[in-house]
């Protein structure tokens, strides 16, 4: 029997990747199941709907998940599960438990074929009638719990230097950072290090209120970094809150991440667990791991924060604060710790009514906090963006300013394209909506 790695805690929650399959917009079923998984203490990395086998497998590998749960109502379940399994096997992650369902669209012979060939456990309508929704989830959790992510034999491959290109090895290293005790992690880290300890890359932290669009903005930033710096290795470490009552968590940032098909980009989701803060306790060690294997830039995204939270400053070299118009009265800005520590302030969703007034208010408060009364508005590190808009000039300007800071403060030579600016110094929008009543019509 293989010995386990020494753990930092008694046990780690089950990690499930959930998704609805490619060409399938029916996400109601997977939405119900992932909520039940969460209520039973699982950390759920949810991808949303219309996800291909490569996307699902890539997510499971990078997240080092115990299991994958997929709903497939488009008639191609055999191909979907088989291809997912093939990708996992080729990457050395064949231990991941695959399960799913699709009502009557997955025929009995298809269910039998997938089970007999050891590909996936498909739950049929008969299973639903006999076991109920919670019974099927409990059965899947029981199967997944047979997998020990900290079994020592899993880490035999971490015997020499690894690079940022080896997503499977990086994923295992981050599992150690999250779950193993400090001495065990550092022993392995020294063994796999491919970059000198004093040559680590910079860390950019993104924080802000819940629902401000941090994940969408991060996705757009990663696209621009690759556009202007092809081949740059970028790691994204994201934290979402753990529910105190159940211990489960929705790690949902991947829903907004459309850039991750690029092999140069890597993402890992963490639950806050016992930290009780907007970043997981293991983020510091996760950053060390990513720096040790040669990433060129690390982005750290926090969960939604309140007025006084500033944990991102403990781990980031540069901090970006993301907010929207919905912060309340101007006096609320005086309470924001982020306006004191942030290197860049982003007013996202700038297409919403009242956003221009909010930009004026934020600029005024920024000047007050920094006592830079004579500074020109266009020179302030306050950037309006519409991250949901294609080729948004605001995000271009944000990346341009961020690249300048990385060069000036950290000696990093990232390229950044020129943003399209108007005579007022504001980003030029490709779509201008003059009538607020038409906002929902586009």
């Amino acid at each position: 029997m293989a010995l386990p790695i020494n753990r930092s805690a008694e046990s780690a929650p089950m990690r499930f990747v959930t998704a609805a399959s490619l060409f399938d917009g029916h996400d109601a079923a997977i939405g119900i199941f992932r909520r039940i998984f969460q209520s039973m203490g699982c950390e759920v990395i949810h991808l949303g709907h219309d996800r291909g086998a490569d996307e699902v497998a890539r997510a499971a590998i990078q997240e080092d998940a115990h299991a994958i749960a997929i709903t497939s109502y488009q008639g191609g379940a055999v191909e979907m599960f088989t291809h997912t399994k093939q990708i996992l096997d080729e990457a050395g992650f064949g231990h991941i438990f695959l399960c799913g369902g699709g009502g009557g669209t997955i025929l009995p012979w298809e269910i039998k074929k997938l089970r007999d060939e050891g590909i996936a456990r498909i739950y049929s309508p008969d299973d639903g009638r006999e076991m109920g929704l919670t019974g099927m989830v409990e059965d899947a959790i029981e199967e997944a719990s047979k997998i020990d992510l900290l079994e020592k034999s899993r880490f035999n491959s971490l015997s020499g230097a690894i690079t940022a290109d080896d997503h499977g090895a990086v994923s295992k290293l981050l599992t150690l950072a999250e779950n193993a005790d400090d001495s065990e992690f550092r022993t392995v880290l020294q063994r796999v290090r491919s970059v000198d300890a004093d040559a680590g890359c910079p860390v950019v932290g993104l924080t802000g209120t819940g629902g401000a669009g941090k994940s969408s903005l991060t996705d757009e930033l990663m696209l621009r970094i690759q556009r202007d710096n092809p081949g740059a290795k970028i790691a994204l470490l994201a934290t979402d809150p753990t529910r105190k009552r159940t211990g489960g968590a929705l790690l949902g940032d991947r829903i907004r991440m459309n850039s991750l098909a690029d092999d140069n980009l890597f993402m890992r989701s963490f639950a806050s667990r016992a930290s009780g803060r907007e970043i997981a306790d293991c983020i510091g060690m996760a950053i060390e791991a990513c720096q040790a294997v040669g990433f060129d830039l690390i982005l750290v995204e926090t969960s939604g924060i309140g007025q006084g939270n500033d944990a991102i400053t403990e781990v980031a070299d540069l901090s970006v604060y993301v907010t929207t118009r919905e912060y309340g009265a101007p006096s609320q800005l005086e309470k924001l710790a982020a306006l004191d520590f942030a290197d860049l302030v982003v007013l996202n969703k700038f297409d919403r009514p009242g956003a221009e007034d909010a930009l004026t208010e934020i600029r005024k408060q920024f000047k007050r906090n920094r006592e830079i009364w004579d500074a020109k508005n266009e020179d302030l590190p306050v950037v309006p963006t519409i991250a949901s808009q294609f080729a948004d000039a605001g995000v271009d300007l944000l990346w341009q300013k961020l690249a300048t800071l990385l060069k000036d403060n950290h000696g990093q030579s990232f390229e950044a394209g020129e943003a399209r600016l108007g005579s007022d110094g504001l980003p030029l929008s490709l779509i201008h909506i003059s009538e607020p009543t038409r906002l929902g019509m586009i």
Side-chain angles (χ1 to χ4, degrees):
M1 182 177 177
L3 295 174
I5 291 285
N6 293 326
R7 302 167 189 264
S8 61
E10 191 64 30
S11 62
M14 293 288 105
R15 289 172 64 85
F16 273 76
V17 171
T18 59
S21 62
L22 192 65
F23 306 126
D24 192 347
H26 302 85
D27 62 349
I30 196 62
I32 291 170
F33 278 104
R34 60 103 173 155
R35 290 185 183 97
I36 299 174
F37 279 119
Q38 290 163 226
S39 71
M40 293 186 177
C42 297
E43 294 175 354
V44 177
I45 302 101
H46 188 53
L47 308 185
H49 65 279
D50 195 24
R51 298 294 184 174
D54 57 338
E55 294 176 279
V56 174
R58 183 184 297 110
I61 292 167
Q62 294 181 357
E63 299 289 353
D64 202 11
H66 291 83
I68 297 171
I70 302 172
T71 55
S72 176
Y73 287 85
Q74 77 334 7
V78 172
E79 292 79 8
M80 176 71 186
F81 283 97
T82 300
H83 189 33
T84 303
K85 179 66 172 173
Q86 288 172 345
I87 297 172
L88 293 174
D89 287 343
E90 290 170 3
F93 281 73
H95 61 276
I96 294 178
F97 172 63
L98 266 68
C99 63
T105 65
I106 306 180
L107 301 176
W109 71 265
E110 294 177 315
I111 294 174
K112 185 176 185 302
K113 173 183 174 63
L114 291 171
R115 188 164 194 170
D116 290 349
E117 294 182 7
I119 295 172
R121 167 71 163 99
I122 305 299
Y123 295 94
S124 68
D126 287 338
D127 291 324
R129 282 188 287 271
E130 293 174 11
M131 305 168 68
L133 294 176
T134 57
M136 289 187 287
V137 170
E138 287 172 348
D139 184 72
I141 292 175
E142 183 179 351
E143 287 296 318
S145 66
K146 298 174 183 177
I147 301 165
D148 185 1
L149 295 181
L150 292 181
E151 187 179 293
K152 277 196 173 181
S153 61
R154 290 196 68 224
F155 304 96
N156 289 340
S157 60
L158 303 183
S159 56
I162 63 175
T163 68
D165 293 309
D166 190 344
H167 289 187
V170 174
S171 175
K172 293 176 184 177
L173 187 59
L174 292 177
T175 295
L176 289 176
E178 185 175 28
N179 299 294
D181 66 25
D182 186 71
S183 61
E184 192 97 46
F185 166 70
R186 298 201 176 280
T187 298
V188 176
L189 184 65
Q190 284 303 113
R191 200 163 62 223
V192 303
R193 180 181 290 279
S194 58
V195 174
D196 291 339
D198 58 353
C201 66
V203 179
V204 175
L206 292 103
T207 190
T209 53
K214 296 187 295 298
S215 296
S216 297
L217 187 68
T218 302
D219 184 49
E220 290 295 320
L221 270 177
M222 292 173 81
L223 285 170
R224 282 157 177 77
I225 295 171
Q226 282 301 308
R227 178 196 67 190
D228 298 334
N229 305 270
K233 309 295 182 184
I234 313 298
L236 169 60
L237 309 175
T239 300
D240 273 316
T242 294
R243 292 176 61 185
K244 287 189 176 181
R245 190 176 67 83
T246 66
L250 171 60
L251 311 182
D253 292 321
R254 280 184 178 267
I255 298 173
R256 305 297 181 200
M257 303 301 298
N258 299 306
S259 59
L260 294 175
D262 192 315
D263 289 336
N264 294 305
L265 306 180
F266 178 94
M267 179 178 179
R268 183 62 173 261
S269 308
F270 298 98
S272 61
R273 295 187 182 175
S275 78
R277 303 193 301 165
E278 64 268 29
I279 56 174
D281 285 335
C282 65
I283 288 294
M285 290 191 291
I287 289 171
E288 287 186 64
C290 290
Q291 290 175 327
V293 301
F295 281 100
D296 299 308
L297 182 66
I298 299 170
L299 305 179
V300 176
E301 181 184 336
T302 73
S303 59
I305 66 167
Q307 293 175 328
N309 299 120
D310 62 355
I312 193 63
T313 60
E314 300 170 13
V315 297
D317 300 306
L318 293 171
S319 298
V320 180
Y321 175 68
V322 186
T323 187
T324 65
R325 174 65 188 91
E326 288 76 25
Y327 52 75
S331 60
Q332 296 297 322
L333 295 173
E334 299 179 40
K335 307 175 186 179
L336 290 180
L339 292 186
D340 283 331
F341 69 72
D343 298 285
L344 288 165
V345 177
V346 178
L347 177 60
N348 195 28
K349 305 183 181 181
F350 195 62
D351 52 340
R352 292 191 172 181
E356 292 185 11
D357 291 337
L359 180 61
T360 299
E361 293 166 1
I362 291 172
R363 283 171 166 174
K364 285 182 178 179
Q365 191 59 49
F366 192 90
K367 289 180 180 180
R368 292 189 193 106
N369 285 23
R370 310 295 173 103
E371 297 184 358
I372 47 175
W373 315 108
D374 298 326
K376 295 180 180 179
N377 285 336
E378 58 267 28
D379 294 334
L380 295 176
V382 180
V383 184
T385 63
I386 310 172
S388 61
Q389 179 174 275
F390 175 74
D392 179 55
V395 183
D396 289 336
L397 180 60
L398 173 61
W399 168 231
Q400 184 179 328
K401 287 180 176 290
L402 183 56
T404 299
L405 287 173
L406 288 168
K407 180 180 180 180
D408 294 345
N409 298 348
H410 300 281
Q412 302 294 312
S413 56
F414 285 102
E415 297 295 325
E418 286 288 328
R420 306 177 309 280
L421 303 179
S423 58
D424 57 0
L426 291 178
L428 288 174
S429 174
L430 292 179
I431 302 175
H432 179 69
I433 302 172
S434 58
E435 299 179 40
T437 55
R438 298 186 63 220
L439 281 174
M441 300 175 63
I442 301 300

